[in-house]
Amino acid sequence: MNPLLQPFDTAPFSKIKNEHFKAAFLEAMKDARAEIDAITSTQEKPTFENTIETLEFSEQQLDRISSVFFNLNSAETNEEIQKIAQEVSPLLSEFGNDITLNEALFERIKTVYQQKESRDLSVEQQTLLDKRYKSFSRNGANLSEEKKKRLREIDAELSKLKLKFGENVLAETNKYEMHLTDEKDVDGLPEGAKEMASQLARSKEKKGWLITLDYPSYVPFMKYAKNRELRKELSLAFGSKAFKGDAYDNQETVLKIANLRHERATLLGYSTHAHFVLEERMAETPEKVHSFLNELLDKAKPAAEQEFKQLEDFAKDLDGIDKLQKWDGSYYSEKLKQKLFDLDDEQLKPYFKLENVIEGVFKVAEKLFGLHFEEVTDIDTYHEEVKTFRVYDADKNFISVFYADFHPRAGKRGGAWMTSFKPQWKKDGMNVRPHISNVCNFTPSTETKPSLLTFNEVTTLFHEFGHGLHGMLANTTYPSLSGTSVYWDFVELPSQIMENWCYEQKALQLFAKHYQTGEVIPMEFVKKIKESATFQEGMATLRQLSFGLLDMSWHGADPSKISNVKAHESKVFDGTNLYPDTPETCMSTAFAHIFQGGYSSGYYSYKWAEVLDADAFAYFKEKGIFDKEVATKFKDHVLSKGGTENPMVLYKRFRGAEPKVEALLERAGLIKKAG
């Protein structure tokens, strides 16, 4: 019996075998097609209820199977799962096209759409109708048969290429290890990082220390290791992922993806892929994105160049470094930060035991939104490290299931993300609650120490938890408008605003306690964290802007003339580069956000949402960081509303006005605060 085809609430991971997936996908697609046929074959005139609403609640079993499978492919994959992904992705792409290119179905949708003015629809119903109509028209429903056929071919190929891209990056990450046996080679590394490297070596029956490209291993080495040559080796290995001309090379894949996306957009009548994507974003057009990025670039570049000069001078004075290279950046930045603020990440780590930080983010959510998290062991998981919680509100109403998966593994892709195993919706008088997951790659515990997070990892945990809250607090009628189903340049607001509490004394005192003594983080450390918050902010902003500009360069113009990935990238980075270029490295071949994830033509949205979050948090600061009234407004108008209305309408309802870019520039220290 296939557990994926039986009714289930939480995913039955322990019962699922790999061979269940393909059979389940095929069966669920067959059932979903029957549901669509029922809509198109009815003799009843098209109405919102019998067409739009019925379509919205079709394919639910297929969606659940997809979420279980593709989340596993990211968090606990293996060769067999990757092979299944390559087989089912084109089938799912074909199925999606069968729906959006179904003429009889589109005719019914169009009829309802054309009569929308005469129908008494709620705001959410109007949004769903607009979204559904656009999803068909924007995906080829109005094309000729010949063009529809080509669209299907493009989509099938893109689904395979994106998977291949991700598999190559993961394989490259897992393939590399730096094996060190001389104590001098790990000189400078903090004890915890050394112990982790030694533990990893022993687990592979090797002597000494093993350094990998996983963040908890890579970052401390780049930040603390004194041996410059080894930092260089590691930096080049990290920067050259999928850029070596071998079986895992992604250069051809990048060119193919960019060109196919462009062809798809022009087929649908858009100038570029970016024009297609941005039509459904707050930013609206590539011109607006460029203007936004360049406005920030003008403000950030002078500050970044000044900061870089300061770093160069410091490295020269300290160690006689004539030319600062990429592999020197983290190392000397950390040393300079220690000198300027007398603050060392290693001093802070004992106050950020993972379990305490999790408890802290829960307490912040409780103070703001009245949520209670109860750890449970009766929910099935896909790996023993995954923790599970049931979430309740202040009135003990069940809100959500929450999964937390925090450490690197061979089967897990790098980075940090939030995802969902089940969305929220309302039907037949029931409010069906969501199942939300946070997946990260934090420093694991060692034989002598628990998992102690760097401050950067603390902000990452709060960031992903913000996405989690967006999912958990969803309260909409329709699943496709629920939680994080919002305009992409609005989706980072809930995550980025949560990071602000990591810098606030009242929040830190709730959870930043020494793992051995229980002592609350000293005020002097809190003061230093705040003072150092804008350290090298110009450089950090320039880096983010360079990624946004690279994304737009691939998707905001015709890419057919690009033949050399590295040459193209170097040209784009020319205006934002601070360090000398390294010919062996390439960002695009491992830029999973835009070539595998959903950020194509959308990387700018991190900065866009930073404007929103700086402006929104200024409101909290004004009233008090745990002010119930502001928190309730944020929950009611942003977190619970999902994509039911235009994000700017929702934002203004919360804030009373549109956001001001000055709030971000002031917080970043790039302009002086007015008054």
Side-chain angles (χ1 to χ4, degrees):
M1 197 182 283
N2 192 327
L4 289 163
L5 294 171
Q6 310 308 309
F8 60 86
D9 182 33
T10 54
F13 292 110
S14 61
K15 294 179 184 161
I16 302 169
K17 296 185 169 61
N18 286 345
E19 61 263 27
H20 289 140
F21 282 114
K22 192 170 179 186
F25 273 119
L26 293 172
E27 186 67 27
M29 280 189 265
K30 192 175 92 181
D31 291 347
R33 282 193 170 94
E35 290 175 313
I36 301 303
D37 289 344
I39 298 172
T40 56
S41 60
T42 180
Q43 298 306 303
E44 294 173 19
K45 283 186 177 162
T47 65
F48 180 84
E49 288 72 23
N50 72 16
T51 301
I52 307 301
E53 215 163 59
T54 306
L55 179 61
E56 173 70 4
F57 287 106
S58 67
E59 303 171 35
Q60 285 191 301
Q61 187 179 37
L62 179 60
D63 289 343
R64 292 293 314 270
I65 294 164
S66 293
S67 70
V68 170
F69 177 74
F70 286 103
N71 284 330
L72 278 182
N73 193 36
S74 291
E76 186 59 16
T77 195
N78 53 47
E79 281 183 17
E80 199 179 345
I81 286 179
Q82 290 178 354
K83 187 169 174 290
I84 297 165
Q86 287 285 359
E87 287 171 20
V88 299
S89 290
L91 298 176
L92 288 167
S93 171
E94 181 71 7
F95 169 80
N97 282 328
D98 285 347
I99 306 302
T100 53
L101 302 177
N102 182 320
E103 284 177 28
L105 184 58
F106 183 52
E107 275 311 309
R108 290 184 69 87
I109 291 167
K110 196 158 36 172
T111 302
V112 181
Y113 184 75
Q114 285 166 347
Q115 296 169 0
K116 68 176 180 175
E117 301 309 327
S118 61
R119 293 169 188 268
D120 187 21
L121 299 177
S122 69
V123 173
E124 189 174 350
Q125 287 173 325
Q126 283 177 20
T127 303
L128 182 67
L129 177 55
D130 286 346
K131 182 175 177 175
R132 194 56 68 212
Y133 176 77
K134 279 183 184 169
S135 76
F136 277 71
S137 62
R138 281 167 52 82
N139 284 292
N142 291 314
L143 293 180
S144 67
E145 281 311 309
E146 192 187 336
K147 286 183 174 176
K148 281 180 181 174
K149 182 172 176 287
R150 179 60 190 144
L151 190 79
R152 286 174 180 274
E153 290 166 0
I154 291 171
D155 287 346
E157 199 174 343
L158 276 172
S159 70
K160 284 183 164 181
L161 287 167
K162 289 197 291 186
L163 282 172
K164 184 76 188 140
F165 182 95
E167 285 167 14
N168 286 345
V169 175
L170 182 63
E172 284 275 81
T173 305
N174 288 338
K175 188 178 73 165
Y176 177 87
E177 49 185 43
M178 187 160 74
H179 183 207
L180 306 173
T181 51
D182 189 335
E183 181 91 40
K184 287 205 300 289
D185 290 340
V186 288
D187 198 12
L189 276 193
E191 276 312 308
K194 269 165 62 172
E195 190 181 353
M196 192 173 82
S198 153
Q199 199 168 291
L200 185 62
R202 282 202 305 281
S203 75
K204 298 201 175 181
E205 296 178 357
K206 293 185 177 181
K207 291 200 166 85
W209 302 267
L210 271 188
I211 309 297
T212 70
L213 299 181
D214 285 322
Y215 279 107
S217 178
Y218 173 77
V219 172
F221 199 88
M222 295 308 296
K223 199 183 268 193
Y224 296 107
K226 288 183 180 174
N227 188 318
R228 193 183 185 204
E229 279 307 305
L230 290 177
R231 288 202 315 270
K232 176 181 178 179
E233 182 193 320
L234 192 65
S235 170
L236 294 180
F238 190 89
S240 62
K241 278 189 282 191
F243 183 61
K244 301 188 185 73
D246 58 11
Y248 298 131
D249 192 277
N250 269 339
Q251 291 173 82
E252 275 306 306
T253 306
V254 163
L255 292 171
K256 279 181 188 165
I257 290 174
N259 280 290
L260 284 170
R261 282 174 174 166
H262 182 72
E263 186 188 344
R264 189 183 195 281
T266 54
L267 203 59
L268 292 164
Y270 295 87
S271 304
T272 67
H273 179 66
H275 285 86
F276 170 76
V277 168
L278 293 166
E279 184 180 72
E280 293 290 279
R281 299 286 191 263
M282 290 176 83
E284 297 170 339
T285 65
E287 292 73 26
K288 266 200 194 172
V289 171
H290 277 292
S291 147
F292 170 72
L293 292 174
N294 287 320
E295 182 191 352
L296 284 178
L297 187 60
D298 287 346
K299 300 280 194 307
K301 196 171 179 179
E305 288 172 340
Q306 214 174 330
E307 290 163 3
F308 189 70
K309 173 81 171 65
Q310 181 189 30
L311 190 63
E312 275 189 316
D313 292 345
F314 174 74
K316 193 173 174 74
D317 289 349
L318 192 67
D319 288 332
I321 301 291
D322 282 329
K323 191 92 177 142
L324 208 59
Q325 301 285 354
K326 286 177 184 170
W327 45 89
D328 299 317
S330 291
Y331 181 77
Y332 288 105
S333 288
E334 184 59 27
K335 290 258 185 289
L336 179 58
K337 191 164 102 177
Q338 287 174 24
K339 183 187 169 195
L340 294 176
F341 304 101
D342 188 23
L343 182 68
D344 178 359
D345 233 0
E346 287 302 304
Q347 287 174 293
L348 299 177
K349 278 172 73 174
Y351 295 95
F352 295 127
K353 180 182 167 186
L354 175 61
E355 288 73 13
N356 291 352
V357 181
I358 296 170
E359 196 184 324
V361 83
F362 289 170
K363 278 182 182 167
V364 169
E366 183 179 350
K367 287 175 89 69
L368 290 170
F369 310 116
L371 297 178
H372 298 272
F373 290 76
E374 189 183 296
E375 187 165 3
V376 291
T377 53
D378 60 347
I379 292 175
D380 212 344
T381 62
Y382 53 86
H383 192 278
E384 60 190 18
E385 287 178 351
V386 181
K387 296 174 184 293
T388 53
F389 302 84
R390 283 197 175 86
V391 189
Y392 300 90
D393 68 11
D395 299 320
K396 301 199 165 40
N397 297 308
F398 174 66
I399 294 297
S400 174
V401 168
F402 179 58
Y403 297 82
D405 178 5
F406 285 138
H407 300 299
R409 295 185 293 274
K412 189 186 204 180
R413 70 176 168 90
W417 63 95
M418 166 268 182
T419 187
S420 149
F421 285 107
K422 180 185 180 184
Q424 174 272 335
W425 72 84
K426 293 175 190 169
K427 198 180 181 196
D428 304 329
M430 294 274 292
N431 189 335
V432 178
R433 300 310 302 167
H435 300 173
I436 302 300
S437 176
N438 275 176
V439 189
C440 304
N441 282 279
F442 293 146
T443 308
S445 55
T446 63
E447 283 160 14
T448 65
K449 285 190 184 75
S451 172
L452 301 176
L453 305 190
T454 64
F455 187 69
N456 191 38
E457 288 177 322
V458 174
T459 59
T460 298
L461 191 149
F462 270 71
H463 177 103
E464 296 309 331
F465 189 76
H467 283 309
L469 287 172
H470 204 181
M472 287 183 253
L473 289 169
N475 196 23
T476 63
T477 306
Y478 303 114
S480 72
L481 300 178
S482 174
T484 55
S485 302
V486 299
Y487 279 5
W488 207 259
D489 44 11
F490 192 60
V491 82
E492 293 298 333
L493 166 60
S495 55
Q496 289 181 182
I497 195 171
M498 283 304 291
E499 294 182 35
N500 290 283
W501 275 268
C502 302
Y503 296 90
E504 297 296 325
Q505 183 193 345
K506 282 183 179 170
L508 285 167
Q509 285 174 336
L510 296 173
F511 67 91
K513 295 170 184 171
H514 198 285
Y515 79 100
Q516 286 169 315
T517 65
E519 175 207 12
V520 173
I521 191 165
M523 260 316 297
E524 60 180 293
F525 284 179
V526 177
K527 190 164 168 279
K528 287 172 185 176
I529 288 171
K530 280 185 87 77
E531 283 171 355
S532 63
T534 58
F535 174 64
Q536 293 187 342
E537 188 60 41
M539 285 167 67
T541 301
L542 203 63
R543 184 171 177 268
Q544 282 288 87
L545 295 174
S546 72
F547 296 167
L549 291 165
L550 179 62
D551 171 27
M552 291 306 288
S553 77
W554 282 113
H555 298 115
D558 180 354
S560 61
K561 300 214 169 25
I562 305 169
S563 57
N564 184 313
V565 174
K566 173 69 177 182
H568 169 72
E569 189 178 288
S570 299
K571 200 168 144 198
V572 176
F573 283 160
D574 199 39
T576 56
N577 262 350
L578 294 169
Y579 295 95
D581 181 48
T582 43
E584 317 82 324
T585 65
C586 184
M587 166 87 189
S588 299
T589 55
F591 200 172
H593 270 78
I594 67 168
F595 289 114
Q596 183 192 6
Y599 278 84
S600 62
S601 306
Y603 202 85
Y604 75 90
S605 59
Y606 282 105
K607 275 291 162 207
W608 184 277
E610 258 189 72
V611 172
L612 296 172
D613 106 64
D615 185 72
F617 193 66
Y619 191 20
F620 274 100
K621 293 276 280 187
E622 208 179 287
K623 304 280 188 182
I625 66 161
F626 289 118
D627 184 86
K628 274 279 192 253
E629 190 189 338
V630 180
T632 302
K633 281 171 84 170
F634 192 68
K635 182 178 91 167
D636 291 349
H637 300 308
V638 177
L639 296 176
S640 67
K641 281 284 190 284
T644 54
E645 284 187 74
N646 182 290
M648 192 56 86
V649 171
L650 293 175
Y651 187 83
K652 286 200 292 195
R653 214 172 279 153
F654 155 67
R655 187 66 165 103
E658 289 200 6
K660 299 178 179 69
V661 75
E662 287 73 25
L664 170 63
L665 297 170
E666 282 171 9
R667 185 180 68 183
L670 298 175
I671 60 169
K672 291 281 176 281
K673 196 163 184 152

